[in-house]
Coordinates of all heavy atoms in Angstrom, one line a residue:
M1 N -25.1 49.9 -39.5 CA -25.4 50.6 -38.1 C -24.3 51.5 -37.8 O -24.1 51.8 -36.7 CB -25.7 49.6 -37.0 CG -27.0 48.9 -37.2 SD -28.4 49.9 -36.9 CE -28.3 50.0 -35.0
A2 N -23.4 51.8 -38.7 CA -22.2 52.7 -38.4 C -22.6 54.1 -38.7 O -22.8 54.7 -39.8 CB -21.1 52.3 -39.3
E3 N -22.9 54.8 -37.6 CA -23.1 56.2 -37.6 C -21.8 56.9 -37.6 O -20.9 56.6 -36.8 CB -24.0 56.6 -36.5 CG -25.4 56.1 -36.5 CD -26.2 56.5 -35.4 OE1 -26.7 57.7 -35.5 OE2 -26.5 55.8 -34.5
P4 N -21.8 58.0 -38.3 CA -20.6 58.9 -38.3 C -20.4 59.5 -36.9 O -21.4 60.1 -36.3 CB -20.9 60.0 -39.3 CG -22.3 60.0 -39.5 CD -22.8 58.5 -39.2
K5 N -19.2 59.4 -36.3 CA -18.9 60.0 -35.1 C -19.0 61.5 -35.1 O -18.3 62.2 -35.9 CB -17.6 59.6 -34.6 CG -17.6 58.1 -34.2 CD -17.6 57.9 -32.7 CE -17.8 56.4 -32.4 NZ -17.8 56.2 -30.9
K6 N -19.7 62.1 -34.2 CA -19.7 63.5 -34.1 C -18.7 64.0 -33.0 O -18.2 63.2 -32.3 CB -21.0 64.0 -33.8 CG -22.1 63.9 -35.0 CD -23.4 64.5 -34.7 CE -24.3 64.4 -35.9 NZ -25.6 64.7 -35.7
T7 N -18.5 65.2 -33.1 CA -17.5 65.8 -32.1 C -18.0 65.9 -30.7 O -18.5 66.9 -30.3 CB -16.9 67.1 -32.5 OG1 -18.1 68.0 -32.8 CG2 -16.1 66.9 -33.8
A8 N -18.0 64.6 -30.0 CA -18.6 64.7 -28.7 C -17.8 65.5 -27.7 O -18.4 66.1 -26.7 CB -18.8 63.3 -28.2
A9 N -16.5 65.5 -28.0 CA -15.7 66.3 -27.0 C -16.1 67.7 -26.9 O -16.1 68.3 -25.9 CB -14.2 66.2 -27.4
K10 N -16.5 68.3 -28.1 CA -16.9 69.7 -28.1 C -18.1 69.8 -27.3 O -18.4 70.8 -26.6 CB -17.1 70.1 -29.5 CG -17.1 71.6 -29.6 CD -17.3 72.0 -31.1 CE -17.4 73.5 -31.2 NZ -17.7 73.8 -32.6
D11 N -19.0 68.8 -27.4 CA -20.3 68.9 -26.6 C -20.0 68.9 -25.1 O -20.7 69.6 -24.4 CB -21.2 67.6 -27.0 CG -21.7 67.7 -28.4 OD1 -21.6 68.8 -29.0 OD2 -22.2 66.7 -28.9
V12 N -19.1 68.2 -24.7 CA -18.7 68.1 -23.3 C -18.2 69.4 -22.9 O -18.7 70.0 -21.8 CB -17.6 67.0 -23.0 CG1 -17.2 67.2 -21.6 CG2 -18.2 65.7 -23.3
E13 N -17.4 70.1 -23.7 CA -16.9 71.4 -23.4 C -18.0 72.3 -23.2 O -18.1 73.2 -22.3 CB -16.0 71.8 -24.4 CG -14.5 71.3 -24.2 CD -13.6 71.7 -25.3 OE1 -13.8 72.8 -25.9 OE2 -12.8 70.9 -25.7
T14 N -19.0 72.2 -24.2 CA -20.1 73.1 -24.1 C -20.9 72.8 -22.9 O -21.4 73.8 -22.2 CB -21.0 72.9 -25.3 OG1 -20.1 73.0 -26.5 CG2 -22.1 73.9 -25.4
A15 N -21.2 71.6 -22.6 CA -22.0 71.2 -21.4 C -21.3 71.8 -20.1 O -22.0 72.3 -19.3 CB -22.1 69.7 -21.3
V16 N -20.1 71.5 -20.0 CA -19.3 72.1 -18.8 C -19.4 73.6 -18.8 O -19.6 74.2 -17.7 CB -17.9 71.6 -18.9 CG1 -17.1 72.3 -17.8 CG2 -17.8 70.1 -18.7
A17 N -19.3 74.2 -19.9 CA -19.3 75.6 -20.0 C -20.7 76.2 -19.5 O -20.7 77.2 -18.8 CB -19.0 76.1 -21.4
I18 N -21.7 75.6 -19.9 CA -23.1 76.1 -19.5 C -23.5 75.5 -18.2 O -24.7 75.7 -17.6 CB -24.1 75.9 -20.5 CG1 -24.3 74.4 -20.8 CG2 -23.7 76.6 -21.8 CD1 -25.4 74.1 -21.8
G19 N -22.7 74.6 -17.6 CA -23.0 74.0 -16.3 C -24.0 72.9 -16.3 O -24.9 72.9 -15.4
A20 N -24.0 72.1 -17.4 CA -25.0 71.1 -17.5 C -24.3 69.7 -17.5 O -23.1 69.6 -17.7 CB -25.8 71.2 -18.8
C21 N -25.1 68.7 -17.3 CA -24.7 67.3 -17.2 C -24.0 67.1 -18.7 O -24.6 67.5 -19.6 CB -25.9 66.4 -17.0 SG -25.6 64.7 -17.3
V22 N -22.9 66.3 -18.7 CA -22.2 66.1 -20.0 C -22.9 65.0 -20.8 O -22.6 64.9 -22.0 CB -20.8 65.7 -19.8 CG1 -20.0 66.8 -19.1 CG2 -20.6 64.4 -19.0
A23 N -23.8 64.3 -20.3 CA -24.5 63.2 -21.1 C -25.3 63.9 -22.2 O -25.8 65.0 -22.1 CB -25.5 62.4 -20.2
K24 N -25.3 63.2 -23.3 CA -25.9 63.8 -24.5 C -27.5 64.2 -24.3 O -28.2 63.4 -23.9 CB -25.8 62.9 -25.7 CG -24.4 63.0 -26.4 CD -24.6 62.5 -27.8 CE -23.3 62.9 -28.5 NZ -22.6 61.8 -29.1
G25 N -27.7 65.4 -24.7 CA -29.1 65.8 -24.6 C -29.6 66.2 -23.3 O -30.8 66.5 -23.1
C26 N -28.8 65.9 -22.3 CA -29.2 66.2 -20.9 C -28.8 67.6 -20.5 O -27.7 68.0 -20.6 CB -28.6 65.2 -19.9 SG -29.1 65.4 -18.2
K27 N -29.7 68.4 -20.0 CA -29.5 69.7 -19.5 C -29.7 69.9 -18.0 O -29.8 71.0 -17.5 CB -30.5 70.7 -20.3 CG -30.2 70.8 -21.8 CD -31.0 71.9 -22.4 CE -30.6 72.0 -23.8 NZ -31.3 70.9 -24.7
T28 N -29.7 68.7 -17.4 CA -29.8 68.8 -15.9 C -28.6 69.3 -15.3 O -27.5 69.0 -15.8 CB -30.2 67.4 -15.4 OG1 -31.3 66.8 -16.1 CG2 -30.5 67.4 -13.9
K29 N -28.7 70.0 -14.2 CA -27.5 70.4 -13.5 C -26.8 69.3 -13.0 O -27.3 68.4 -12.3 CB -27.9 71.4 -12.4 CG -27.9 72.8 -12.7 CD -27.9 73.7 -11.5 CE -27.4 75.1 -11.8 NZ -27.1 75.9 -10.5
P30 N -25.5 69.2 -13.2 CA -24.7 68.1 -12.6 C -24.5 68.2 -11.1 O -24.4 69.4 -10.5 CB -23.3 68.3 -13.3 CG -23.2 69.7 -13.7 CD -24.6 70.1 -13.9
S31 N -24.6 67.1 -10.4 CA -24.4 67.1 -9.0 C -23.2 66.4 -8.6 O -22.6 66.5 -7.5 CB -25.6 66.5 -8.3 OG -25.9 65.2 -8.9
R32 N -22.7 65.4 -9.5 CA -21.5 64.6 -9.1 C -20.6 64.7 -10.4 O -21.0 64.3 -11.5 CB -21.8 63.2 -8.8 CG -22.6 63.2 -7.5 CD -22.7 61.7 -7.2 NE -24.0 61.5 -6.5 CZ -24.3 60.3 -5.9 NH1 -23.4 59.4 -5.8 NH2 -25.4 60.2 -5.4
F33 N -19.3 64.9 -10.2 CA -18.5 65.1 -11.4 C -19.2 66.0 -12.4 O -19.7 67.0 -12.0 CB -18.1 63.8 -12.0 CG -17.3 62.9 -10.9 CD1 -18.0 62.0 -10.1 CD2 -16.0 63.1 -10.7 CE1 -17.3 61.2 -9.2 CE2 -15.3 62.4 -9.7 CZ -16.0 61.5 -9.0
S34 N -19.3 65.5 -13.6 CA -19.9 66.5 -14.5 C -21.3 65.9 -14.9 O -21.9 66.1 -16.0 CB -19.1 66.6 -15.8 OG -17.9 67.2 -15.5
F35 N -21.8 64.9 -14.1 CA -23.1 64.2 -14.3 C -24.2 64.6 -13.4 O -23.9 65.0 -12.3 CB -22.9 62.7 -14.2 CG -22.0 62.1 -15.3 CD1 -20.7 61.6 -15.0 CD2 -22.4 62.0 -16.6 CE1 -19.9 61.1 -15.9 CE2 -21.5 61.5 -17.5 CZ -20.3 61.0 -17.2
C36 N -25.4 64.5 -13.9 CA -26.5 64.6 -12.9 C -26.7 63.2 -12.3 O -26.0 62.3 -12.6 CB -27.8 64.9 -13.7 SG -28.4 63.6 -14.8
E37 N -27.5 63.2 -11.3 CA -27.6 61.9 -10.5 C -27.8 60.7 -11.4 O -27.2 59.6 -11.3 CB -28.8 62.0 -9.5 CG -28.5 63.0 -8.4 CD -27.6 62.4 -7.3 OE1 -27.5 61.2 -7.2 OE2 -27.1 63.2 -6.5
E38 N -28.8 60.9 -12.3 CA -29.2 59.8 -13.2 C -27.9 59.3 -14.0 O -27.6 58.2 -14.1 CB -30.3 60.3 -14.1 CG -30.6 59.3 -15.2 CD -31.3 58.1 -14.7 OE1 -31.8 58.1 -13.6 OE2 -31.3 57.0 -15.4
H39 N -27.4 60.3 -14.7 CA -26.2 59.9 -15.5 C -24.9 59.5 -14.8 O -24.1 58.7 -15.4 CB -25.9 61.0 -16.6 CG -27.0 61.1 -17.6 ND1 -27.9 62.2 -17.7 CD2 -27.4 60.2 -18.5 CE1 -28.7 61.9 -18.7 NE2 -28.5 60.7 -19.2
Y40 N -24.8 60.0 -13.5 CA -23.7 59.5 -12.7 C -23.9 58.0 -12.5 O -22.9 57.3 -12.6 CB -23.7 60.3 -11.5 CG -22.6 59.8 -10.5 CD1 -21.2 60.0 -10.9 CD2 -22.8 59.1 -9.4 CE1 -20.2 59.6 -10.1 CE2 -21.8 58.6 -8.6 CZ -20.5 58.8 -8.9 OH -19.5 58.4 -8.2
D41 N -25.1 57.6 -12.2 CA -25.4 56.2 -12.0 C -25.1 55.4 -13.3 O -24.5 54.3 -13.3 CB -26.9 56.0 -11.7 CG -27.2 56.1 -10.2 OD1 -26.2 56.3 -9.5 OD2 -28.4 56.1 -9.9
Q42 N -25.4 55.9 -14.4 CA -25.2 55.3 -15.6 C -23.7 55.2 -16.0 O -23.2 54.2 -16.5 CB -26.0 56.0 -16.8 CG -27.4 55.9 -16.7 CD -28.1 56.4 -18.0 OE1 -27.5 56.5 -19.0 NE2 -29.4 56.7 -17.9
Y43 N -23.0 56.2 -15.5 CA -21.5 56.2 -15.7 C -20.9 55.1 -14.8 O -20.1 54.4 -15.2 CB -21.1 57.6 -15.3 CG -19.5 57.7 -15.1 CD1 -18.7 57.4 -16.3 CD2 -18.9 58.0 -14.0 CE1 -17.3 57.4 -16.1 CE2 -17.5 58.1 -13.8 CZ -16.8 57.8 -14.9 OH -15.4 57.9 -14.8
K44 N -21.4 55.1 -13.6 CA -20.9 54.0 -12.6 C -21.1 52.7 -13.2 O -20.4 51.8 -12.9 CB -21.7 54.1 -11.3 CG -21.0 55.1 -10.3 CD -21.5 54.9 -9.0 CE -23.1 55.0 -8.8 NZ -23.5 55.0 -7.5
F45 N -22.3 52.5 -13.9 CA -22.6 51.2 -14.4 C -21.8 50.9 -15.8 O -22.0 49.8 -16.4 CB -24.1 51.1 -14.7 CG -24.8 50.2 -13.6 CD1 -24.9 50.7 -12.4 CD2 -25.2 49.0 -14.0 CE1 -25.5 50.0 -11.4 CE2 -25.9 48.3 -13.0 CZ -26.0 48.7 -11.7
G46 N -21.2 51.9 -16.2 CA -20.3 51.7 -17.4 C -21.3 51.9 -18.7 O -20.9 51.4 -19.7
L47 N -22.4 52.5 -18.5 CA -23.3 52.7 -19.7 C -22.7 53.9 -20.6 O -23.0 53.9 -21.8 CB -24.7 53.1 -19.3 CG -25.6 51.9 -19.1 CD1 -25.2 51.1 -17.9 CD2 -27.0 52.3 -19.0
I48 N -22.2 54.9 -19.9 CA -21.7 56.0 -20.7 C -20.3 56.3 -20.2 O -19.9 55.9 -19.1 CB -22.6 57.2 -20.4 CG1 -22.8 57.5 -18.9 CG2 -23.9 57.1 -21.2 CD1 -23.6 58.8 -18.7
R49 N -19.6 57.0 -21.1 CA -18.2 57.3 -20.7 C -18.1 58.6 -20.0 O -19.2 59.3 -19.9 CB -17.4 57.5 -22.1 CG -17.4 56.2 -22.9 CD -16.2 56.2 -23.8 NE -16.1 55.0 -24.6 CZ -16.3 54.8 -25.9 NH1 -16.7 55.9 -26.5 NH2 -16.3 53.7 -26.5
K50 N -17.0 58.9 -19.6 CA -16.8 60.1 -18.8 C -17.2 61.3 -19.6 O -17.5 62.4 -19.1 CB -15.3 60.3 -18.4 CG -15.1 61.1 -17.2 CD -13.7 60.9 -16.6 CE -12.6 61.3 -17.6 NZ -11.2 61.0 -17.0
T51 N -17.2 61.2 -20.9 CA -17.4 62.2 -21.8 C -18.9 62.3 -22.1 O -19.4 63.2 -22.8 CB -16.7 62.1 -23.2 OG1 -17.0 60.8 -23.7 CG2 -15.2 62.2 -23.0
G52 N -19.7 61.4 -21.6 CA -21.2 61.4 -21.8 C -21.5 60.5 -23.0 O -22.7 60.4 -23.3
E53 N -20.5 60.0 -23.7 CA -20.9 59.2 -24.9 C -21.4 57.8 -24.4 O -20.9 57.3 -23.4 CB -19.6 58.9 -25.7 CG -19.1 60.2 -26.4 CD -17.8 59.8 -27.2 OE1 -16.8 59.8 -26.6 OE2 -17.9 59.6 -28.4
L54 N -22.2 57.2 -25.2 CA -22.7 55.9 -24.9 C -21.6 54.9 -25.3 O -20.9 55.0 -26.3 CB -23.9 55.6 -25.8 CG -25.1 56.5 -25.6 CD1 -26.3 56.0 -26.4 CD2 -25.5 56.6 -24.2
V55 N -21.4 53.8 -24.5 CA -20.5 52.8 -24.8 C -21.1 52.0 -25.9 O -22.3 51.9 -26.1 CB -20.2 52.0 -23.6 CG1 -19.5 52.8 -22.5 CG2 -21.4 51.3 -23.0
P56 N -20.3 51.2 -26.6 CA -20.8 50.4 -27.7 C -21.9 49.3 -27.3 O -22.8 49.1 -28.1 CB -19.5 49.6 -28.2 CG -18.4 50.5 -27.8 CD -18.8 51.1 -26.6
D57 N -21.8 48.8 -26.2 CA -22.8 47.8 -25.8 C -23.8 48.4 -24.8 O -24.2 47.7 -23.9 CB -22.1 46.5 -25.3 CG -21.3 46.8 -24.0 OD1 -20.9 48.0 -23.8 OD2 -20.9 45.8 -23.3
H58 N -24.0 49.6 -25.0 CA -24.9 50.4 -24.1 C -26.3 49.7 -23.9 O -26.8 49.7 -22.8 CB -25.1 51.8 -24.7 CG -26.1 52.6 -23.9 ND1 -27.5 52.8 -24.4 CD2 -26.0 53.4 -22.8 CE1 -28.1 53.5 -23.5 NE2 -27.3 54.0 -22.6
E59 N -26.9 49.3 -25.0 CA -28.3 48.6 -24.9 C -28.3 47.5 -24.0 O -29.1 47.4 -23.1 CB -28.7 48.3 -26.3 CG -29.5 49.3 -27.0 CD -30.0 48.9 -28.4 OE1 -30.6 47.8 -28.4 OE2 -29.7 49.6 -29.3
K60 N -27.3 46.6 -24.1 CA -27.2 45.4 -23.2 C -27.0 45.9 -21.8 O -27.7 45.3 -20.9 CB -26.0 44.6 -23.7 CG -26.1 43.1 -23.2 CD -25.1 42.3 -23.9 CE -23.7 42.7 -23.5 NZ -22.7 41.9 -24.2
K61 N -26.2 46.8 -21.5 CA -25.9 47.3 -20.2 C -27.2 48.0 -19.6 O -27.4 48.0 -18.4 CB -24.7 48.1 -20.1 CG -23.4 47.4 -20.3 CD -22.2 48.2 -20.2 CE -20.9 47.4 -20.2 NZ -19.7 48.2 -20.3
L62 N -27.9 48.6 -20.5 CA -29.0 49.4 -20.0 C -30.1 48.5 -19.4 O -30.7 48.9 -18.3 CB -29.6 50.1 -21.2 CG -30.8 51.1 -20.9 CD1 -30.4 52.2 -20.1 CD2 -31.4 51.6 -22.2
E63 N -30.2 47.3 -19.9 CA -31.2 46.3 -19.4 C -30.7 46.0 -17.9 O -31.6 46.0 -17.0 CB -31.2 45.1 -20.2 CG -32.0 45.2 -21.4 CD -31.9 43.9 -22.3 OE1 -31.9 42.9 -21.7 OE2 -31.9 44.0 -23.5
H64 N -29.5 45.8 -17.7 CA -29.0 45.4 -16.4 C -29.2 46.6 -15.5 O -29.7 46.5 -14.3 CB -27.5 45.1 -16.5 CG -27.2 43.8 -17.1 ND1 -27.4 42.6 -16.5 CD2 -26.7 43.5 -18.3 CE1 -27.1 41.6 -17.3 NE2 -26.7 42.2 -18.4
Y65 N -29.0 47.8 -16.0 CA -29.0 49.0 -15.2 C -30.5 49.2 -14.8 O -30.7 49.5 -13.6 CB -28.5 50.1 -16.1 CG -28.8 51.5 -15.5 CD1 -28.1 52.0 -14.3 CD2 -29.7 52.3 -16.1 CE1 -28.3 53.2 -13.8 CE2 -30.0 53.6 -15.5 CZ -29.3 54.0 -14.4 OH -29.5 55.3 -13.9
L66 N -31.5 49.1 -15.7 CA -32.8 49.3 -15.3 C -33.3 48.3 -14.4 O -34.1 48.6 -13.5 CB -33.7 49.3 -16.6 CG -33.4 50.4 -17.6 CD1 -34.2 50.3 -18.8 CD2 -33.7 51.8 -17.0
S67 N -32.9 47.0 -14.5 CA -33.4 46.0 -13.6 C -32.8 46.3 -12.2 O -33.4 46.1 -11.2 CB -33.1 44.6 -14.0 OG -31.7 44.4 -14.0
F68 N -31.6 46.7 -12.2 CA -30.9 47.1 -10.9 C -31.7 48.2 -10.3 O -32.0 48.2 -9.0 CB -29.5 47.6 -11.2 CG -28.9 48.3 -10.0 CD1 -28.3 47.5 -9.0 CD2 -28.8 49.7 -9.9 CE1 -27.8 48.1 -7.9 CE2 -28.2 50.3 -8.9 CZ -27.6 49.5 -7.8
K69 N -32.1 49.2 -11.0 CA -32.8 50.3 -10.5 C -34.2 49.9 -9.9 O -34.6 50.3 -8.9 CB -33.0 51.4 -11.5 CG -31.7 52.1 -11.7 CD -32.0 53.4 -12.5 CE -32.1 54.6 -11.4 NZ -32.1 55.9 -12.0
Q70 N -34.8 49.0 -10.6 CA -36.1 48.5 -10.2 C -36.0 47.8 -8.9 O -36.7 47.9 -7.9 CB -36.7 47.6 -11.2 CG -37.4 48.3 -12.3 CD -38.0 47.4 -13.3 OE1 -37.8 46.2 -13.3 NE2 -38.8 47.9 -14.2
K71 N -35.0 46.9 -8.8 CA -34.7 46.2 -7.6 C -34.4 47.1 -6.4 O -34.8 46.8 -5.3 CB -33.5 45.2 -7.8 CG -33.9 43.9 -8.4 CD -32.6 43.0 -8.6 CE -32.8 42.1 -9.8 NZ -31.5 41.7 -10.3
R72 N -33.7 48.0 -6.7 CA -33.4 49.1 -5.6 C -34.6 49.9 -5.2 O -34.6 50.5 -4.2 CB -32.3 50.0 -6.2 CG -31.5 50.6 -5.0 CD -30.2 51.3 -5.5 NE -30.6 52.4 -6.5 CZ -29.7 53.2 -7.0 NH1 -28.4 53.1 -6.6 NH2 -30.0 54.1 -8.0
G73 N -35.6 49.8 -6.0 CA -36.9 50.5 -5.7 C -36.8 52.1 -5.8 O -37.6 52.7 -5.2
Q74 N -35.9 52.5 -6.6 CA -35.8 53.9 -6.7 C -36.9 54.4 -7.7 O -37.2 53.9 -8.7 CB -34.4 54.3 -7.4 CG -34.2 55.7 -7.4 CD -32.9 56.1 -8.1 OE1 -32.8 56.2 -9.3 NE2 -31.9 56.3 -7.2
R75 N -37.5 55.5 -7.2 CA -38.6 56.0 -8.0 C -38.1 57.2 -8.8 O -37.4 58.0 -8.3 CB -39.7 56.4 -7.2 CG -40.4 55.2 -6.5 CD -41.6 55.6 -5.7 NE -42.1 54.4 -5.0 CZ -43.3 54.3 -4.4 NH1 -44.0 55.4 -4.4 NH2 -43.8 53.2 -3.8
V76 N -38.5 57.1 -10.1 CA -38.2 58.2 -10.9 C -39.4 59.1 -11.1 O -40.5 58.7 -11.5 CB -37.7 57.7 -12.3 CG1 -37.3 58.9 -13.2 CG2 -36.6 56.7 -12.2
A77 N -39.2 60.3 -10.7 CA -40.3 61.2 -10.6 C -40.9 61.5 -12.1 O -40.1 61.6 -13.0 CB -40.0 62.6 -10.1
Ligands
LIG101 ZN1 -27.8 64.0 -17.0

C-alpha cells in the first residue's frame, strides 16, 4: 500500500495561486485559511494537513468525522 509521494507542496502553491482550497482535487473557493468550509472542518479534525495532504490514519479519523457531522445535523447540499 506504499504509494509514491507526489509533490503535494507544489499542488498547494498552485491551489493558492488560483485561489482554490488546498485539499487535493478540491476547487472550491477557500473561506478559512486556505480551506473551503468542508476541508477546514477536516483540517480541524486532523484528517488533513495544512498542506491539504491526507494524514496516515485518515480513514479511521474520517469515520469519527462523519459521525460527528451527522450528530451535528449538518446537511450537505
Ligand atoms: Zn475544499
Side-chain angles (χ1 to χ4, degrees):
M1 289 289 283
E3 290 182 78
K5 289 254 172 183
K6 288 187 180 172
T7 51
K10 196 179 177 186
D11 291 342
V12 173
E13 279 174 31
T14 307
V16 171
I18 62 174
C21 169
V22 296
K24 274 206 171 120
C26 184
K27 293 191 177 72
T28 310
K29 264 197 161 192
S31 54
R32 296 190 216 190
F33 298 98
S34 298
F35 293 109
C36 66
E37 292 280 344
E38 172 70 21
H39 286 115
Y40 178 71
D41 276 353
Q42 293 191 17
Y43 170 60
K44 274 195 304 187
F45 258 72
L47 270 72
I48 52 178
R49 299 203 177 110
K50 204 164 62 182
T51 56
E53 287 177 281
L54 302 182
V55 296
D57 58 346
H58 172 263
E59 269 181 50
K60 201 169 64 184
K61 286 180 171 172
L62 184 65
E63 282 178 34
H64 291 283
Y65 170 71
L66 291 176
S67 67
F68 167 80
K69 288 197 94 170
Q70 275 182 351
K71 277 180 207 156
R72 201 168 60 173
Q74 188 182 80
R75 292 187 184 190
V76 180

